Amino acid sequence: MQNKKYAKILLLILLIGLTLRFAPVYLYDTQISYDAPYHQRIAEKVFETKSIPEIDETLGGRENIYPPLYSVFQNIMHYTTRFDFFFLGMILLPIISLLTVLSVYVFVRKVSGERKALLAAFLTAVSISLIAYAFDSPENFVFFFLPAIILLFSQNKNKLGAVIYASGLLWNYLIIIASVIPLVFFLRKRLKELAYVFVGLGLVVVYYFLFHGESFLYNHDINLAMDFISLSFKPAFIFSVSLAYLLVVPLVYFIFKNKIEEKAGYWKYFVFISLIGLTTVFLTPFLRVWEQIKFLSLSSIIVLACIKVFDKKVKIYAGVYALILLVSAVFMSFQGFYPSTQKQDFYSMEFLEEFSEKGSILAEPSFSEHMRNKTELDKRILTSLYFENTGKNSFLKESLHYLTFQELENEEEFFEKSDLRFIVFNFEDKAVRNTEKIEEKEIFNKIYSMKYYKKCIFGENDLSFACGKNETEILMYNKE
């Protein structure tokens, strides 16, 4: 009877997690967040050529060094379900994110028992940051199998754990880079196991070098897009960082006071490393603070559930933690998480494709990727989600700088060399970047405008730039 009761609770938790992850997809009926159209484009290329593309032909061309497994997985699902790649880009990663609820549950149940496993599953299901990043990054696959990997190491199944962990580099670089330092601390007294990990990682790195050679290091500038991304995230920074500290700092106290289960030690180190990374928000965006929040979320949830002594203070803390996450997740899922490019924006892409005047097009990178997927304008688009592509045929650096700050020292020279003719803005540009500064310039004429209204559930524009009155517009550069 008890097992049936737990099973019903777990099913309810999964339904809550499913609802929160699919609410934005249902409300907007399009891909959510930034990277999804890029992954769609690469997956479609794999489908056309029956191979992983060696060159990404955007912005003059560059070696395609992005991990291949998500593109392969999308193709497998396309062949299996016959769903198109646009639809798969909407649903696949939210589903994998939901499965993380199960992997966290299994890990905590093995370490701390059924009740704490249900607590961990619930917190994972309603975690704001894990939901926010459930839509556009293959790192969700690594989130899914990372608890299983740590469990394998805890059960001395080291070779299998090392193989699965190393394969993470074929899904997503960043989560592996972020998670390997805690793994070193966790296995520091088990050198044989640690050797397995680095041999596996080394083999994958060799694979990349063999296929891409020295070009792996060419045309890269990881600082290039930081100002642009930071500006986009700026409205949410203070809230996100403050909430992270509010929830995690008491947990650090409980880690030292009540200790945690030995098999969950890895996650303790992950909490500390991510907390340090989060603190760099006050110094530099280099460590991508927005990424640290989700790492901190996953690790802190497991640590909380694996605290040895669950006294009254810990229970009160866990209850407050759960309530804050649940309330915030409902608000954010039904209004705060939105597509960077809405369906209404697609009409502007069709307009540009049919417009008689030619010339280069400047738009926010995610908007540009959708444009590549929907039109034949690829060779005229100046930005890409390959942010670090600073090749000689690319104007990405100047383009992102102009979108971020609305000015360049050599503005006319940039327009001339890039043949820039059109700038496209939508609701997000207007909300987080000072587009009025460009609109007021006499050198631009507005040639297209679509105003539309998106219903707000919790009050107009209180929690989202995407609802309320919105506009997509196209400005044309007047050379005269």
Side-chain angles (χ1 to χ4, degrees), residues 250-260 268 272 307:
L251 177 63
V252 174
Y253 167 76
F254 292 126
I255 289 173
F256 287 105
K257 182 176 182 290
N258 296 351
K259 298 185 179 180
I260 66 170
K268 174 182 69 177
F272 293 147
I307 289 177

Side-chain angles (χ1 to χ4, degrees), residues 442-456:
E442 295 182 359
I443 56 175
F444 290 108
N445 299 320
K446 185 186 291 189
I447 61 170
Y448 174 94
S449 173
M450 172 176 274
K451 295 183 179 180
Y452 60 93
Y453 181 83
K454 189 72 179 178
K455 185 178 179 181
C456 307

